[in-house]
Amino acid sequence: MISKNSVNKVILVGRVGNKPELKFTPSGNSICTFSMATNETWLDLENNKKEHTEWHNIVGWNKIADFTHEHIVKGQLIYIEGRIHAQVWVDKNNIRQKKYEIVCEKITPLGIKKVP
């Protein structure tokens, strides 16, 4: 039986691409953003190793943001759970733009925190 409800769930394991940046909204909520890389490798038909890196924009709010800013560093291996969110806007040239980000709802460090 197919559920009538929809699911927006993302699980990623990868490395932090840049130092998490902490900002605050006018109402005082904390928001932390960073990039995250996930990699896949495979052998092509001629047995040549191929690799692809996918970059993800990650956003965390409030307690997740505070934890990320304090405990997560560039290059660290992490596990995150979250949901996909699309931001849509019209730029100065009147062209519709769309950007996808992962809203982090759970973050777990998997690697040892490196000293920057």
Side-chain angles (χ1 to χ4, degrees):
M1 180 174 186
I2 297 176
S3 173
K4 294 180 183 180
N5 298 322
S6 62
V7 175
N8 182 351
K9 182 79 168 177
V10 175
I11 296 174
L12 296 172
V13 174
R15 297 209 175 265
V16 177
N18 61 318
K19 180 181 177 183
E21 183 178 339
L22 185 67
K23 294 183 180 179
F24 294 91
T25 65
S27 60
N29 292 316
S30 55
I31 179 172
C32 192
T33 59
F34 62 95
S35 63
M36 179 178 178
T38 55
N39 299 302
E40 61 179 318
T41 58
W42 69 94
L43 296 177
D44 66 12
L45 294 176
E46 298 167 353
N47 253 3
N48 296 316
K49 183 179 177 182
K50 299 290 184 178
E51 186 171 339
H52 174 74
T53 300
E54 192 71 44
W55 287 95
H56 312 276
N57 296 313
I58 312 296
V59 177
W61 290 87
N62 301 315
K63 288 182 181 181
I64 295 280
D66 299 337
F67 174 85
T68 299
H69 185 255
E70 288 181 34
H71 299 288
I72 303 298
V73 297
K74 178 180 177 178
Q76 189 171 13
L77 185 66
I78 60 171
Y79 167 97
I80 67 165
E81 291 182 20
R83 59 185 167 80
I84 298 172
H85 178 259
Q87 289 186 351
V88 180
W89 71 96
V90 176
D91 68 15
K92 63 182 178 182
N93 298 319
N94 207 28
I95 299 173
R96 184 177 182 265
Q97 301 288 336
K98 194 171 197 178
K99 172 183 158 182
Y100 291 95
E101 59 192 14
I102 307 300
V103 177
C104 182
E105 297 166 349
K106 179 179 180 179
I107 184 167
T108 305
L110 298 176
I112 296 171
K113 182 176 175 179
K114 298 177 184 176
V115 178

